[in-house]
Amino acid sequence: SPALVPPFIAPHFFAPGAVSPLEAREHRVLLVTKEGYRLAGIPDEEIAGALLAREIARRPGWSLMPLTGRTHREVAELMRTSMFLVNVNSLEAFNTTVPEAMAAGCIPICYEAVGGRDFLRDGENAVVFTNHEVYELVERVCDLMDRCAEEAPLLARLRQGGETTAASFRPENTARALDRFFTAFLVP
């Protein structure tokens, strides 16, 4: 019979004490980029990247950093010190950068993608948009950058909700689910 085996987030995203408080975070927006989206003819990443680059250039103290060409540990460190992660994935059922950001205390701003409804809750653990609402997404990122102080209660709630969500994607949960699944095949 079918069984749900949850994926897991690498433990270094959960490094104890490594998640900086909101007020200590760098005013940095991380952007998930994948060439496959451009090759598939989906322009959202290019649109979001260009608009965010323009808007962030108008906001002293803020920076935009694409997450390409970095090791997994470098990404974890950036997530533990950055304010927001923008992911415009609309194809993958479980794009791990979103729950990895949650584990690291970086607030995800993303699409619901294909299977995102299984773990994403807009306003509770992420800022979530329907696929391809790229202009609305960029507008909300700009609003959050401009109103970080006023939005502090929301941002704290998103981080707490993200931490709770990410906790369900621990390696031991995956191991237990795999053990339960394969144990059913053992002859008593």
Side-chain angles (χ1 to χ4, degrees), residues 4 28 40 51 59 92 101 110 135-136 140 164 170 174 181:
L4 178 61
R28 181 171 48 226
L51 291 174
R59 290 166 171 82
E92 297 171 70
C110 58
Y135 297 104
E136 293 87 346
R140 184 64 173 138
T164 300
R170 296 264 188 185
T174 304
F181 178 75

Side-chain angles (χ1 to χ4, degrees), residues 25 30 79-80 82-85 101-102 104-108 159:
R25 289 188 167 253
L30 302 175
M79 287 180 175
R80 286 193 303 263
S82 298
M83 189 73 76
F84 303 117
L85 170 95
M102 290 176 178
C106 183
I107 298 166
R159 286 185 72 192

Side-chain angles (χ1 to χ4, degrees), residues 89-154:
N89 158 51
S90 61
L91 299 176
E92 297 171 70
F94 186 83
N95 187 293
T96 57
T97 60
V98 173
E100 285 171 345
M102 290 176 178
C106 183
I107 298 166
I109 303 169
C110 58
Y111 290 161
E112 62 189 5
V114 177
R117 289 184 184 162
D118 292 343
F119 69 97
L120 293 172
R121 303 289 177 266
D122 183 43
E124 293 178 29
N125 62 7
V127 180
V128 186
F129 291 85
T130 301
N131 292 339
H132 310 299
E133 288 184 347
V134 67
Y135 297 104
E136 293 87 346
L137 182 146
V138 169
E139 186 176 302
R140 184 64 173 138
V141 173
C142 292
D143 181 57
L144 288 171
M145 286 188 297
D146 293 342
R147 299 174 30 83
C148 266
E150 296 88 352
E151 296 282 6
L154 168 66

Side-chain angles (χ1 to χ4, degrees), residues 25-40:
R25 289 188 167 253
E26 293 188 36
H27 284 180
R28 181 171 48 226
V29 177
L30 302 175
L31 179 64
V32 176
T33 58
K34 289 192 175 186
E35 187 170 339
Y37 297 140
R38 283 189 298 277
L39 294 174

